[in-house]
């Protein structure tokens, strides 16, 4: 049965960006991105394989791809998660992102994971199918270089054409210090913020997007939006939520104001408390910056640690009250898994605590990369918080997390290196 689905088309210009390198029209900065086409397919049967291709004026414009529609709440599911990928170091932020490491990860995933229509799909027929990827911030490390965005999206295409590629914004997608210059926007950026982005005195928020201010991300990705009149509206790629099988995902932006009383804080509170835990017993929260981190590069006063403390101060009690099962983040370029932690790190409680999983290992230079790369921008030595009991595993290598939910009472987390080695795993059970 053939079904056609119309869509919408959009683009952006240098005038839509917030300034800095991103808006400079030259080969190493702004280049014409072309057009972005969005079509929403409706009426799909759950857990069903579909083929699709792009057509313009009755002429095919793409190869034929395949995907599997979303599962029911009773189906077993699996998803992959990573952060901090990038595709090249030739941008404004020297040596961030590496096309070879990113390609290693995508190759490992497309060749070995249970993803539909890949060369090894038949060999993985008995595995729980991977239904989506969540990339939790620091996507291309474009940092004002349009070419890198084009290169990175080509790199992820073997995966992103077959499963939903869900994103959260990180500092390198959004942080900016200038207002939007887009005609008609009246100094309001694409996420609705007036003036510069979030810059609290306790944080290390700067101009890490080099003027992109979320535009390049928001134009290239479309995320689910709340439709219920009883729910506060979600906000494009910046904060949103969705269900996948028995899992509810709450995705928010650690680059926007998340403190008590803010617009985003109110949305987070409402979303995590509105989850139907009968339909979706598992609740996963994702944002770029970690709520728990044991490492730093500038000692105990490192601003990464201060931001983590502020996230705990403002949101940990909210997550605890809503019985969040797991928080998944990136930002720091290592893998870290906590115990089921509570109360500002003072208690591990397997029944009531929240596992924090940081997977900032998709390609950005490892926080311990000085050992092998003299050009690595990170500091020579790492600082670790003393006397902590909640850090269970820390790994400085490149890879991703696979999360499998075989039933409504068990969740399996693995950390898989780019060579396929499983370096860490744990079970969460209800």
């Amino acid at each position: 049965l053939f079904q056609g689905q119309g869509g919408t088309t959009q683009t952006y210009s240098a005038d839509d960006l917030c300034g800095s390198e991103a808006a400079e029209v030259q080969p190493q900065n702004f280049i014409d991105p072309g057009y972005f086409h969005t079509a929403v397919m409706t009426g799909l049967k759950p857990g069903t394989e579909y083929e699709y291709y792009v057509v313009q004026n009755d002429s095919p414009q793409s190869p034929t791809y395949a995907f599997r529609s979303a599962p029911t709440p009773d189906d077993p599911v699996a998803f992959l998660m990573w952060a901090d990928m990038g595709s090249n170091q030739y941008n404004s932020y020297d040596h961030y992102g590496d096309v070879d490491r990113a390609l290693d990860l995508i190759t490992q995933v497309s060749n070995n994971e249970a993803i539909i229509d890949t060369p090894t799909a038949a060999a993985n027929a008995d595995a729980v199918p991977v239904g989506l990827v969540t990339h939790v911030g620091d996507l291309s490390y474009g940092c004002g270089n349009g070419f890198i965005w084009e290169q990175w999206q080509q790199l992820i295409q073997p995966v992103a054409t077959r499963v939903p590629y869900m994103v959260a914004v990180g500092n390198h997608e959004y942080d900016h210090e200038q207002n939007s210059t887009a005609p008609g926007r009246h100094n309001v950026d694409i996420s609705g913020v007036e003036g510069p982005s979030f810059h609290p005195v306790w944080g290390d928020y700067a101009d890490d997007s080099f003027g992109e201010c979320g535009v390049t991300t928001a134009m290239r990705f479309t995320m689910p939006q709340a439709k219920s009149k009883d729910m506060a509206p979600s906000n494009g790629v910046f904060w949103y939520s969705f269900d996948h099988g028995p899992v509810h995902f709450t995705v928010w932006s650690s680059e926007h104001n998340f403190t008590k009383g803010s617009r985003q804080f109110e949305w987070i509170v409402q979303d995590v408390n509105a989850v139907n835990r009968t339909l979706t017993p598992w609740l996963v929260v994702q944002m770029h910056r970690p709520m728990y981190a044991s490492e730093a590069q500038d000692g105990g006063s490192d601003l990464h640690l201060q931001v983590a403390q502020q996230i705990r101060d403002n949101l940990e009690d909210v997550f605890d009250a809503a019985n969040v099962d797991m928080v998944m983040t990136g930002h720091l370029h290592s893998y870290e898994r906590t115990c089921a932690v509570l109360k500002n790190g003072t208690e591990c409680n397997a029944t009531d605590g929240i596992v924090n999983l940081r997977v900032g290992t998709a390609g950005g230079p490892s926080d311990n990369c000085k050992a092998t790369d003299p050009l690595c921008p990170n500091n020579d030595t790492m600082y670790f918080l003393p006397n902590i009991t909640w850090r269970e595993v820390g790994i400085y290598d490149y890879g991703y997390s696979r999360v499998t939910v075989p039933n409504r009472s068990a969740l399996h987390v693995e950390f898989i290196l780019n060579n396929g080695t499983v370096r860490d795993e744990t079970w969460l059970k209800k």
Side-chain angles (χ1 to χ4, degrees):
L1 176 65
F2 176 83
Q3 176 180 332
Q5 181 66 57
T8 59
T9 298
Q10 61 185 0
T11 188
Y12 62 91
S13 70
D15 288 338
D16 292 309
L17 304 169
C18 290
S20 188
E21 286 93 331
E24 296 176 11
V25 182
Q26 54 185 345
Q28 67 268 37
N29 295 117
F30 178 83
I31 59 174
D32 186 343
Y35 295 95
F36 305 100
H37 309 289
T38 302
V40 178
M41 287 176 271
T42 59
L44 305 181
K45 297 179 180 179
T48 303
E49 295 183 10
Y50 290 89
E51 292 184 342
Y52 72 99
Y53 57 93
V54 179
V55 174
Q56 183 178 22
N57 297 328
D58 297 324
S59 175
Q61 302 293 310
S62 77
T64 298
Y65 298 108
F67 73 96
R68 183 179 287 105
S69 56
T72 73
D74 294 320
D75 290 330
V77 298
F79 67 92
L80 309 181
M81 177 269 175
W82 57 72
D84 304 273
M85 178 177 273
S87 66
N88 210 310
Q89 64 266 35
Y90 301 114
N91 55 21
S92 304
Y93 217 18
D94 288 345
H95 301 290
Y96 266 67
D98 184 280
V99 68
D100 292 328
R101 291 191 292 258
L103 182 59
D104 287 345
L105 187 151
I106 293 297
T107 301
Q108 156 65 23
V109 167
S110 60
N111 286 348
N112 297 285
E113 291 293 345
I115 292 176
I116 188 173
D117 196 35
T118 55
T120 55
N124 290 309
D126 294 333
V128 176
V130 171
L132 74 158
V133 166
T134 61
H135 188 156
V136 187
D138 284 6
L139 310 178
S140 75
Y141 283 111
C143 298
N145 188 319
F147 166 76
I148 291 177
W149 275 101
E150 302 299 323
Q151 180 189 55
W152 176 73
Q153 288 202 277
Q154 287 287 323
L155 185 146
I156 66 170
Q157 182 170 302
V159 173
T161 52
R162 292 172 170 87
V163 295
Y165 200 97
M166 316 300 287
V167 300
V169 295
N171 49 308
H172 290 293
E173 283 75 57
Y174 179 73
D175 290 7
H176 64 90
E177 295 177 336
Q178 297 163 283
N179 297 345
S180 172
T181 58
R185 284 225 181 110
H186 306 294
N187 293 327
V188 177
D189 74 22
I190 198 167
S191 71
V193 170
E194 297 183 16
S197 62
F198 188 48
H199 285 83
V201 295
W202 40 259
D204 59 340
Y205 299 83
D207 189 23
D208 291 350
S209 79
F210 291 81
E212 290 182 1
C213 56
V215 171
T216 51
T217 305
M219 289 290 179
R220 293 167 187 268
F221 290 93
T222 300
M223 296 295 112
Q225 300 301 293
K227 296 183 175 66
S228 172
K229 65 180 181 179
D230 299 322
M231 288 290 293
S234 47
N235 188 8
V237 296
F238 303 102
W239 52 89
Y240 63 93
S241 66
F242 65 98
D243 295 337
H244 183 74
V247 184
H248 180 84
F249 291 83
T250 299
V251 184
W252 59 276
S253 169
S254 56
E255 312 315 305
H256 289 72
N257 191 350
F258 56 79
T259 60
K260 294 173 182 176
S262 67
R263 180 166 65 114
Q264 182 174 218
F265 175 86
E266 297 299 330
W267 178 85
I268 294 169
V269 171
Q270 188 176 49
D271 189 79
V272 298
N273 284 291
V275 180
N276 184 334
R277 301 305 284 271
T278 301
L279 285 177
T280 51
W282 295 99
L283 176 51
V284 173
V285 171
Q286 295 184 333
M287 70 282 190
H288 182 59
R289 297 178 188 248
M291 185 165 74
Y292 279 88
S294 66
E295 68 171 58
Q297 296 179 11
D298 299 316
S301 61
D302 190 293
L303 293 180
H304 293 309
L305 299 178
Q306 303 306 311
V307 173
Q309 182 66 60
Q310 289 291 330
I311 295 174
R312 295 197 298 274
D313 289 348
N314 285 276
L315 287 166
E316 187 175 39
D317 286 346
V318 172
F319 295 159
D320 179 28
N323 295 312
V324 168
D325 297 294
M326 185 163 60
V327 172
M328 307 184 80
T329 65
H331 193 54
L332 301 181
H333 294 182
S334 61
Y335 173 86
E336 184 169 71
R337 176 170 59 80
T338 73
C339 66
V341 64
L342 278 177
K343 299 180 181 177
N344 199 27
T346 61
E347 179 183 335
C348 289
N349 187 316
T351 302
D352 298 322
I354 302 169
V355 172
N356 285 252
L357 196 72
R358 188 178 71 246
V359 193
T361 54
S366 167
D367 286 342
N368 196 34
C369 64
K370 279 289 188 183
T372 57
D373 181 4
L375 296 178
C376 173
N378 297 339
N379 290 346
D380 290 318
T381 58
M382 292 296 299
Y383 169 83
F384 290 91
L385 289 174
N387 303 318
I388 58 171
T389 58
W390 44 262
R391 185 183 200 255
E392 291 200 339
V393 179
I395 298 172
Y396 295 88
D397 210 337
Y398 300 102
Y400 60 97
S401 178
R402 177 172 59 211
V403 179
T404 305
V405 186
N407 55 57
R408 301 172 67 80
S409 60
L411 183 149
H412 187 214
V413 179
E414 299 168 279
F415 179 61
I416 301 167
L417 302 187
N418 288 347
N419 63 11
T421 302
V422 177
R423 283 288 306 276
D424 180 47
E425 62 179 315
T426 191
W427 285 90
L428 279 63
K429 295 187 177 181
K430 290 185 177 296

